[in-house]
Amino acid sequence: MDYPEALEELVESLQQLPTIGPKSAQRLAFWLLETAEPKALRLAEAIRTARSQIRPCRRCFNYSEQELCQICSDPQRKTGVLCVVVQPKDIVALERTREYRGGYHVLGGLLSPLDGIGPDKVRIHELLQRVREESIAEVILALDTTVGGEATCLYLSRQLGTDASVTRLAQGLPAGGNLDYTDEVTLGRALRGRRRVEDLSPQ
Amino acid sequence: MDYPEALEELVESLQQLPTIGPKSAQRLAFWLLETAEPKALRLAEAIRTARSQIRPCRRCFNYSEQELCQICSDPQRKTGVLCVVVQPKDIVALERTREYRGGYHVLGGLLSPLDGIGPDKVRIHELLQRVREESIAEVILALDTTVGGEATCLYLSRQLGTDASVTRLAQGLPAGGNLDYTDEVTLGRALRGRRRVEDLSPQ
């Protein structure tokens, strides 16, 4: 027996989603068929609404329903400092720390010349313009510590060097990390980035 | 920062799905926002179509887009034998074996007096009626080997006893199973259900 066509199509469109394999897609499809109708249609509606109402913030390219996102339109946020991230969900991660009250800039990707992603494919031009126009004093690079992240940091710090002070997130041991389980690159960076204990006491 | 409302709603409606926790829901929501628009809308559309077009087969209650499902409307299927299952996806599992060519009957649930699921809450009445009207000679009970499954088997075999021959799926060692890893209930049933080797040779 084949599935009815509409069920087959539902399974296939669920299988497009990341980390959803054929088995999970089948299970989710059956759930969507068997649950109360409003629950299933709620998801269909939420997808449509999200796709039609969410757009990039005009200034920082974070997700937003207005022209300016919640952060850019918040008068309480510090001006003069920008944190550069790759994607909107990195902002969520940084906000969760409650350690930062400045603005953001979403690049949209990392430089990757081998994949044809040059400086014109990510929002570097927009960043340079913002740094000048908003008289930014510090740019914090909060990028992945991968090859692409390192390359992008290097490129950005050269481009920004004279306009603003460029900093990067510290690299070292993760919280709750065991020294003997830490890889040698991380441990090497933690050593090189070591800090005087008295400097770490709360100010 | 909170998510924009439409994104929040998308995350929440994904979180309703079974086995999708908050982290996965977030990842899927971001994918649905970032992927090409037709891919995301395809899922929304597939949910709507499935909910509006798929209904239970009038005869056996399998999923169907027509009044009769693919199996009930197939003239090549054997008549006179019915396989009783709990849900439509059990039919898919049984069809995959290619060992059975008769009809099905989807109960829709197992008896569970403690949860208030009595014989009137599952499609037992419809089954008894079919057995009489379609002059069924054999009813195969293909139910879970759980407490609820056993109770339902017992009830059904009493109800059907005089009208048709009632059989159950064999219980025993699974294919590829190791004897020393098999639990004692399964092993006990395998022992009780042992068969003469000559009876097992292909006929």
Side-chain angles (χ1 to χ4, degrees):
Chain A
M1 187 197 75
D2 300 325
Y3 288 129
E5 208 178 304
L7 178 53
E8 192 79 60
E9 165 63 15
L10 181 56
V11 172
E12 273 173 31
S13 56
L14 283 163
Q15 236 177 288
Q16 299 181 106
L17 296 172
T19 72
I20 305 291
K23 274 273 174 192
S24 307
Q26 217 180 84
R27 192 178 48 235
L28 296 179
F30 278 109
W31 184 88
L32 283 165
L33 271 181
E34 280 155 24
T35 191
E37 186 149 20
K39 274 192 173 183
L41 295 186
R42 180 183 169 191
L43 175 57
E45 194 49 39
I47 296 171
R48 281 187 188 285
T49 310
R51 288 302 306 219
S52 69
Q53 306 213 332
I54 294 175
R55 48 187 163 170
C57 166
R58 183 170 53 81
R59 191 184 290 160
C60 76
F61 303 95
N62 185 12
Y63 287 136
S64 179
E65 287 178 293
Q66 263 64 53
E67 211 175 321
L68 282 184
C69 75
Q70 223 183 336
I71 292 173
C72 286
S73 54
D74 180 351
Q76 310 249 321
R77 307 283 307 201
K78 246 171 83 181
T79 55
V81 48
L82 277 189
C83 181
V84 177
V85 295
V86 170
Q87 46 187 350
K89 59 182 148 185
D90 299 336
I91 297 183
V92 180
L94 286 160
E95 286 294 291
R96 224 179 280 131
T97 68
R98 301 174 178 277
E99 296 268 352
Y100 180 68
R101 297 287 303 157
Y104 288 94
H105 185 86
V106 179
L107 279 184
L110 291 172
L111 294 179
S112 177
L114 288 178
D115 304 312
I117 305 182
D120 51 318
K121 293 276 173 69
V122 298
R123 302 193 194 98
I124 290 179
H125 173 75
E126 291 86 341
L127 173 63
L128 298 176
Q129 198 177 337
R130 283 186 72 189
V131 168
R132 280 191 304 272
E133 288 176 5
E134 299 173 27
S135 41
I136 300 296
E138 182 182 359
V139 174
I140 303 170
L141 303 177
L143 305 178
D144 298 343
T145 55
T146 57
V147 175
E150 301 293 325
T152 311
C153 274
L154 195 67
Y155 182 87
L156 284 178
S157 61
R158 280 187 191 153
Q159 294 284 315
L160 289 163
T162 53
D163 297 325
S165 141
V166 180
T167 57
R168 299 186 51 165
L169 295 191
Q171 294 188 41
L173 300 179
N178 281 109
L179 205 85
D180 56 340
Y181 283 121
T182 308
D183 67 286
E184 63 273 24
V185 178
T186 304
L187 206 51
R189 286 176 183 171
L191 257 176
R192 257 178 285 142
R194 68 192 179 278
R195 299 181 53 189
R196 296 173 65 91
V197 175
E198 58 226 58
D199 294 344
L200 295 172
S201 55
Q203 293 134 15
Chain B
M1 186 196 74
D2 300 322
Y3 288 129
E5 208 178 306
L7 178 52
E8 191 79 58
E9 165 64 14
L10 181 56
V11 172
E12 274 173 30
S13 54
L14 282 163
Q15 237 177 289
Q16 300 181 107
L17 296 171
T19 72
I20 304 291
K23 274 272 173 192
S24 308
Q26 215 179 86
R27 193 179 47 234
L28 296 178
F30 278 110
W31 184 87
L32 283 165
L33 272 180
E34 279 155 23
T35 191
E37 186 149 19
K39 276 192 174 182
L41 295 187
R42 179 183 169 192
L43 174 57
E45 194 49 37
I47 295 172
R48 279 186 189 286
T49 310
R51 287 302 305 219
S52 68
Q53 306 214 332
I54 293 176
R55 47 185 163 172
C57 165
R58 183 169 52 83
R59 191 182 292 159
C60 77
F61 304 96
N62 185 13
Y63 287 136
S64 179
E65 285 177 296
Q66 263 65 51
E67 213 175 320
L68 282 184
C69 75
Q70 224 182 334
I71 292 174
C72 286
S73 54
D74 181 350
Q76 311 250 319
R77 308 283 306 203
K78 245 170 82 182
T79 55
V81 48
L82 277 189
C83 181
V84 177
V85 296
V86 171
Q87 45 186 351
K89 59 182 149 183
D90 299 335
I91 297 183
V92 181
L94 286 160
E95 286 295 289
R96 225 179 280 130
T97 67
R98 299 173 181 279
E99 299 267 354
Y100 179 69
R101 296 289 300 155
Y104 289 95
H105 185 86
V106 179
L107 280 186
L110 291 171
L111 294 179
S112 179
L114 288 179
D115 304 314
I117 305 181
D120 50 318
K121 291 278 174 65
V122 299
R123 302 193 192 97
I124 289 180
H125 174 73
E126 291 86 341
L127 173 63
L128 299 177
Q129 196 177 339
R130 284 186 70 189
V131 168
R132 281 191 302 271
E133 287 176 5
E134 299 174 28
S135 42
I136 300 297
E138 183 182 358
V139 174
I140 304 169
L141 303 177
L143 305 177
D144 299 343
T145 54
T146 56
V147 174
E150 300 294 324
T152 310
C153 275
L154 194 67
Y155 183 86
L156 284 178
S157 60
R158 282 188 192 153
Q159 294 284 315
L160 289 164
T162 53
D163 297 325
S165 141
V166 181
T167 58
R168 300 187 51 166
L169 297 190
Q171 294 189 41
L173 299 179
N178 282 109
L179 204 86
D180 56 340
Y181 283 121
T182 307
D183 67 284
E184 63 274 22
V185 178
T186 304
L187 207 51
R189 287 176 184 171
L191 257 176
R192 257 177 285 143
R194 69 192 179 276
R195 297 182 54 190
R196 295 172 65 90
V197 176
E198 56 227 57
D199 294 345
L200 293 172
S201 56
Q203 295 133 13

PDB file of all heavy atoms in Angstrom, chain B residues 51-71:
ATOM      1  N   ARG B  51      -5.026  17.738   6.036  1.00  0.00           N
ATOM      2  CA  ARG B  51      -6.151  17.803   6.967  1.00  0.00           C
ATOM      3  C   ARG B  51      -7.479  17.888   6.232  1.00  0.00           C
ATOM      4  O   ARG B  51      -8.505  17.451   6.739  1.00  0.00           O
ATOM      5  CB  ARG B  51      -6.017  19.002   7.915  1.00  0.00           C
ATOM      6  CG  ARG B  51      -4.944  18.835   8.975  1.00  0.00           C
ATOM      7  CD  ARG B  51      -5.105  17.632   9.868  1.00  0.00           C
ATOM      8  NE  ARG B  51      -6.365  17.527  10.545  1.00  0.00           N
ATOM      9  CZ  ARG B  51      -6.521  17.102  11.796  1.00  0.00           C
ATOM     10  NH1 ARG B  51      -5.462  16.760  12.533  1.00  0.00           N
ATOM     11  NH2 ARG B  51      -7.706  17.003  12.332  1.00  0.00           N
ATOM     12  N   SER B  52      -7.499  18.502   5.056  1.00  0.00           N
ATOM     13  CA  SER B  52      -8.797  18.647   4.394  1.00  0.00           C
ATOM     14  C   SER B  52      -9.123  17.445   3.510  1.00  0.00           C
ATOM     15  O   SER B  52     -10.273  17.143   3.283  1.00  0.00           O
ATOM     16  CB  SER B  52      -8.848  19.949   3.590  1.00  0.00           C
ATOM     17  OG  SER B  52      -7.972  19.854   2.504  1.00  0.00           O
ATOM     18  N   GLN B  53      -8.111  16.732   2.996  1.00  0.00           N
ATOM     19  CA  GLN B  53      -8.414  15.694   2.013  1.00  0.00           C
ATOM     20  C   GLN B  53      -8.386  14.275   2.563  1.00  0.00           C
ATOM     21  O   GLN B  53      -8.971  13.388   1.967  1.00  0.00           O
ATOM     22  CB  GLN B  53      -7.430  15.787   0.846  1.00  0.00           C
ATOM     23  CG  GLN B  53      -7.393  17.177   0.249  1.00  0.00           C
ATOM     24  CD  GLN B  53      -7.148  17.144  -1.230  1.00  0.00           C
ATOM     25  OE1 GLN B  53      -6.521  16.227  -1.734  1.00  0.00           O
ATOM     26  NE2 GLN B  53      -7.640  18.145  -1.914  1.00  0.00           N
ATOM     27  N   ILE B  54      -7.664  14.053   3.646  1.00  0.00           N
ATOM     28  CA  ILE B  54      -7.566  12.681   4.132  1.00  0.00           C
ATOM     29  C   ILE B  54      -8.654  12.402   5.157  1.00  0.00           C
ATOM     30  O   ILE B  54      -8.859  13.183   6.084  1.00  0.00           O
ATOM     31  CB  ILE B  54      -6.170  12.415   4.724  1.00  0.00           C
ATOM     32  CG1 ILE B  54      -5.156  12.473   3.585  1.00  0.00           C
ATOM     33  CG2 ILE B  54      -6.117  11.053   5.397  1.00  0.00           C
ATOM     34  CD1 ILE B  54      -3.742  12.314   4.028  1.00  0.00           C
ATOM     35  N   ARG B  55      -9.368  11.329   4.950  1.00  0.00           N
ATOM     36  CA  ARG B  55     -10.445  10.956   5.877  1.00  0.00           C
ATOM     37  C   ARG B  55     -10.390   9.454   6.066  1.00  0.00           C
ATOM     38  O   ARG B  55      -9.718   8.752   5.324  1.00  0.00           O
ATOM     39  CB  ARG B  55     -11.782  11.359   5.275  1.00  0.00           C
ATOM     40  CG  ARG B  55     -11.867  10.919   3.827  1.00  0.00           C
ATOM     41  CD  ARG B  55     -13.108  11.398   3.155  1.00  0.00           C
ATOM     42  NE  ARG B  55     -12.953  11.300   1.703  1.00  0.00           N
ATOM     43  CZ  ARG B  55     -13.918  11.497   0.849  1.00  0.00           C
ATOM     44  NH1 ARG B  55     -15.098  11.817   1.283  1.00  0.00           N
ATOM     45  NH2 ARG B  55     -13.711  11.392  -0.450  1.00  0.00           N
ATOM     46  N   PRO B  56     -11.123   8.930   7.056  1.00  0.00           N
ATOM     47  CA  PRO B  56     -11.092   7.479   7.236  1.00  0.00           C
ATOM     48  C   PRO B  56     -11.880   6.781   6.141  1.00  0.00           C
ATOM     49  O   PRO B  56     -12.929   7.268   5.717  1.00  0.00           O
ATOM     50  CB  PRO B  56     -11.768   7.270   8.598  1.00  0.00           C
ATOM     51  CG  PRO B  56     -12.305   8.585   9.023  1.00  0.00           C
ATOM     52  CD  PRO B  56     -11.904   9.636   8.072  1.00  0.00           C
ATOM     53  N   CYS B  57     -11.354   5.655   5.669  1.00  0.00           N
ATOM     54  CA  CYS B  57     -12.048   4.809   4.697  1.00  0.00           C
ATOM     55  C   CYS B  57     -13.391   4.396   5.299  1.00  0.00           C
ATOM     56  O   CYS B  57     -13.467   4.045   6.478  1.00  0.00           O
ATOM     57  CB  CYS B  57     -11.187   3.593   4.399  1.00  0.00           C
ATOM     58  SG  CYS B  57     -12.063   2.263   3.574  1.00  0.00           S
ATOM     59  N   ARG B  58     -14.437   4.437   4.504  1.00  0.00           N
ATOM     60  CA  ARG B  58     -15.782   4.151   5.002  1.00  0.00           C
ATOM     61  C   ARG B  58     -15.873   2.717   5.539  1.00  0.00           C
ATOM     62  O   ARG B  58     -16.621   2.430   6.456  1.00  0.00           O
ATOM     63  CB  ARG B  58     -16.780   4.335   3.854  1.00  0.00           C
ATOM     64  CG  ARG B  58     -18.239   4.155   4.212  1.00  0.00           C
ATOM     65  CD  ARG B  58     -19.127   4.625   3.075  1.00  0.00           C
ATOM     66  NE  ARG B  58     -18.755   4.007   1.815  1.00  0.00           N
ATOM     67  CZ  ARG B  58     -19.155   2.789   1.411  1.00  0.00           C
ATOM     68  NH1 ARG B  58     -19.910   2.046   2.182  1.00  0.00           N
ATOM     69  NH2 ARG B  58     -18.781   2.305   0.237  1.00  0.00           N
ATOM     70  N   ARG B  59     -15.089   1.811   4.946  1.00  0.00           N
ATOM     71  CA  ARG B  59     -15.216   0.415   5.340  1.00  0.00           C
ATOM     72  C   ARG B  59     -14.248   0.032   6.466  1.00  0.00           C
ATOM     73  O   ARG B  59     -14.650  -0.500   7.484  1.00  0.00           O
ATOM     74  CB  ARG B  59     -15.007  -0.490   4.133  1.00  0.00           C
ATOM     75  CG  ARG B  59     -15.391  -1.932   4.444  1.00  0.00           C
ATOM     76  CD  ARG B  59     -15.135  -2.866   3.265  1.00  0.00           C
ATOM     77  NE  ARG B  59     -16.004  -2.605   2.139  1.00  0.00           N
ATOM     78  CZ  ARG B  59     -15.725  -2.995   0.882  1.00  0.00           C
ATOM     79  NH1 ARG B  59     -14.597  -3.640   0.638  1.00  0.00           N
ATOM     80  NH2 ARG B  59     -16.554  -2.722  -0.101  1.00  0.00           N
ATOM     81  N   CYS B  60     -12.953   0.336   6.276  1.00  0.00           N
ATOM     82  CA  CYS B  60     -11.959  -0.213   7.223  1.00  0.00           C
ATOM     83  C   CYS B  60     -11.326   0.856   8.126  1.00  0.00           C
ATOM     84  O   CYS B  60     -10.555   0.550   9.014  1.00  0.00           O
ATOM     85  CB  CYS B  60     -10.873  -0.966   6.463  1.00  0.00           C
ATOM     86  SG  CYS B  60      -9.681   0.117   5.660  1.00  0.00           S
ATOM     87  N   PHE B  61     -11.602   2.166   7.852  1.00  0.00           N
ATOM     88  CA  PHE B  61     -11.093   3.277   8.660  1.00  0.00           C
ATOM     89  C   PHE B  61      -9.594   3.515   8.507  1.00  0.00           C
ATOM     90  O   PHE B  61      -8.987   4.202   9.318  1.00  0.00           O
ATOM     91  CB  PHE B  61     -11.479   3.107  10.147  1.00  0.00           C
ATOM     92  CG  PHE B  61     -12.958   2.954  10.341  1.00  0.00           C
ATOM     93  CD1 PHE B  61     -13.537   1.706  10.453  1.00  0.00           C
ATOM     94  CD2 PHE B  61     -13.780   4.063  10.353  1.00  0.00           C
ATOM     95  CE1 PHE B  61     -14.902   1.548  10.589  1.00  0.00           C
ATOM     96  CE2 PHE B  61     -15.156   3.918  10.489  1.00  0.00           C
ATOM     97  CZ  PHE B  61     -15.722   2.664  10.611  1.00  0.00           C
ATOM     98  N   ASN B  62      -9.005   2.945   7.472  1.00  0.00           N
ATOM     99  CA  ASN B  62      -7.647   3.321   7.074  1.00  0.00           C
ATOM    100  C   ASN B  62      -7.698   4.754   6.515  1.00  0.00           C
ATOM    101  O   ASN B  62      -8.763   5.251   6.168  1.00  0.00           O
ATOM    102  CB  ASN B  62      -7.178   2.346   5.979  1.00  0.00           C
ATOM    103  CG  ASN B  62      -5.734   2.566   5.579  1.00  0.00           C
ATOM    104  OD1 ASN B  62      -4.988   3.266   6.259  1.00  0.00           O
ATOM    105  ND2 ASN B  62      -5.328   1.958   4.472  1.00  0.00           N
ATOM    106  N   TYR B  63      -6.537   5.436   6.427  1.00  0.00           N
ATOM    107  CA  TYR B  63      -6.524   6.754   5.804  1.00  0.00           C
ATOM    108  C   TYR B  63      -6.830   6.633   4.322  1.00  0.00           C
ATOM    109  O   TYR B  63      -6.361   5.702   3.657  1.00  0.00           O
ATOM    110  CB  TYR B  63      -5.149   7.406   5.934  1.00  0.00           C
ATOM    111  CG  TYR B  63      -4.846   7.872   7.319  1.00  0.00           C
ATOM    112  CD1 TYR B  63      -3.606   7.647   7.881  1.00  0.00           C
ATOM    113  CD2 TYR B  63      -5.802   8.549   8.067  1.00  0.00           C
ATOM    114  CE1 TYR B  63      -3.316   8.075   9.159  1.00  0.00           C
ATOM    115  CE2 TYR B  63      -5.515   8.981   9.348  1.00  0.00           C
ATOM    116  CZ  TYR B  63      -4.279   8.745   9.880  1.00  0.00           C
ATOM    117  OH  TYR B  63      -3.990   9.170  11.134  1.00  0.00           O
ATOM    118  N   SER B  64      -7.555   7.596   3.803  1.00  0.00           N
ATOM    119  CA  SER B  64      -7.929   7.526   2.399  1.00  0.00           C
ATOM    120  C   SER B  64      -8.258   8.911   1.864  1.00  0.00           C
ATOM    121  O   SER B  64      -8.624   9.807   2.617  1.00  0.00           O
ATOM    122  CB  SER B  64      -9.144   6.617   2.251  1.00  0.00           C
ATOM    123  OG  SER B  64      -9.535   6.565   0.914  1.00  0.00           O
ATOM    124  N   GLU B  65      -8.096   9.080   0.570  1.00  0.00           N
ATOM    125  CA  GLU B  65      -8.549  10.322  -0.049  1.00  0.00           C
ATOM    126  C   GLU B  65      -9.895  10.106  -0.743  1.00  0.00           C
ATOM    127  O   GLU B  65     -10.590  11.038  -1.076  1.00  0.00           O
ATOM    128  CB  GLU B  65      -7.509  10.839  -1.049  1.00  0.00           C
ATOM    129  CG  GLU B  65      -6.314  11.446  -0.331  1.00  0.00           C
ATOM    130  CD  GLU B  65      -5.230  11.914  -1.274  1.00  0.00           C
ATOM    131  OE1 GLU B  65      -4.638  11.061  -1.971  1.00  0.00           O
ATOM    132  OE2 GLU B  65      -4.988  13.113  -1.331  1.00  0.00           O
ATOM    133  N   GLN B  66     -10.213   8.829  -0.987  1.00  0.00           N
ATOM    134  CA  GLN B  66     -11.521   8.491  -1.556  1.00  0.00           C
ATOM    135  C   GLN B  66     -12.413   7.949  -0.440  1.00  0.00           C
ATOM    136  O   GLN B  66     -11.982   7.801   0.700  1.00  0.00           O
ATOM    137  CB  GLN B  66     -11.352   7.402  -2.622  1.00  0.00           C
ATOM    138  CG  GLN B  66     -11.292   7.928  -4.048  1.00  0.00           C
ATOM    139  CD  GLN B  66     -10.068   8.771  -4.270  1.00  0.00           C
ATOM    140  OE1 GLN B  66      -8.960   8.353  -3.961  1.00  0.00           O
ATOM    141  NE2 GLN B  66     -10.262   9.979  -4.777  1.00  0.00           N
ATOM    142  N   GLU B  67     -13.645   7.586  -0.824  1.00  0.00           N
ATOM    143  CA  GLU B  67     -14.552   7.043   0.181  1.00  0.00           C
ATOM    144  C   GLU B  67     -14.036   5.689   0.666  1.00  0.00           C
ATOM    145  O   GLU B  67     -14.111   5.377   1.848  1.00  0.00           O
ATOM    146  CB  GLU B  67     -15.950   6.914  -0.404  1.00  0.00           C
ATOM    147  CG  GLU B  67     -17.012   7.136   0.654  1.00  0.00           C
ATOM    148  CD  GLU B  67     -18.401   7.122   0.041  1.00  0.00           C
ATOM    149  OE1 GLU B  67     -18.556   7.671  -1.067  1.00  0.00           O
ATOM    150  OE2 GLU B  67     -19.288   6.542   0.665  1.00  0.00           O
ATOM    151  N   LEU B  68     -13.511   4.896  -0.296  1.00  0.00           N
ATOM    152  CA  LEU B  68     -12.889   3.628   0.069  1.00  0.00           C
ATOM    153  C   LEU B  68     -11.384   3.754  -0.105  1.00  0.00           C
ATOM    154  O   LEU B  68     -10.914   4.350  -1.080  1.00  0.00           O
ATOM    155  CB  LEU B  68     -13.397   2.498  -0.841  1.00  0.00           C
ATOM    156  CG  LEU B  68     -14.790   1.939  -0.530  1.00  0.00           C
ATOM    157  CD1 LEU B  68     -15.096   0.782  -1.461  1.00  0.00           C
ATOM    158  CD2 LEU B  68     -14.892   1.493   0.928  1.00  0.00           C
ATOM    159  N   CYS B  69     -10.605   3.165   0.810  1.00  0.00           N
ATOM    160  CA  CYS B  69      -9.155   3.298   0.715  1.00  0.00           C
ATOM    161  C   CYS B  69      -8.615   2.411  -0.400  1.00  0.00           C
ATOM    162  O   CYS B  69      -9.324   1.576  -0.967  1.00  0.00           O
ATOM    163  CB  CYS B  69      -8.497   2.962   2.043  1.00  0.00           C
ATOM    164  SG  CYS B  69      -8.465   1.201   2.383  1.00  0.00           S
ATOM    165  N   GLN B  70      -7.317   2.590  -0.649  1.00  0.00           N
ATOM    166  CA  GLN B  70      -6.632   1.841  -1.701  1.00  0.00           C
ATOM    167  C   GLN B  70      -6.800   0.327  -1.543  1.00  0.00           C
ATOM    168  O   GLN B  70      -6.977  -0.399  -2.512  1.00  0.00           O
ATOM    169  CB  GLN B  70      -5.148   2.177  -1.601  1.00  0.00           C
ATOM    170  CG  GLN B  70      -4.486   2.445  -2.898  1.00  0.00           C
ATOM    171  CD  GLN B  70      -3.004   2.709  -2.671  1.00  0.00           C
ATOM    172  OE1 GLN B  70      -2.594   3.142  -1.592  1.00  0.00           O
ATOM    173  NE2 GLN B  70      -2.200   2.455  -3.679  1.00  0.00           N
ATOM    174  N   ILE B  71      -6.748  -0.141  -0.298  1.00  0.00           N
ATOM    175  CA  ILE B  71      -6.821  -1.584  -0.063  1.00  0.00           C
ATOM    176  C   ILE B  71      -8.251  -2.089  -0.248  1.00  0.00           C
ATOM    177  O   ILE B  71      -8.489  -3.079  -0.932  1.00  0.00           O
ATOM    178  CB  ILE B  71      -6.283  -1.922   1.345  1.00  0.00           C
ATOM    179  CG1 ILE B  71      -4.772  -1.656   1.379  1.00  0.00           C
ATOM    180  CG2 ILE B  71      -6.593  -3.362   1.722  1.00  0.00           C
ATOM    181  CD1 ILE B  71      -4.132  -1.800   2.731  1.00  0.00           C
TER     182      ILE B  71
END
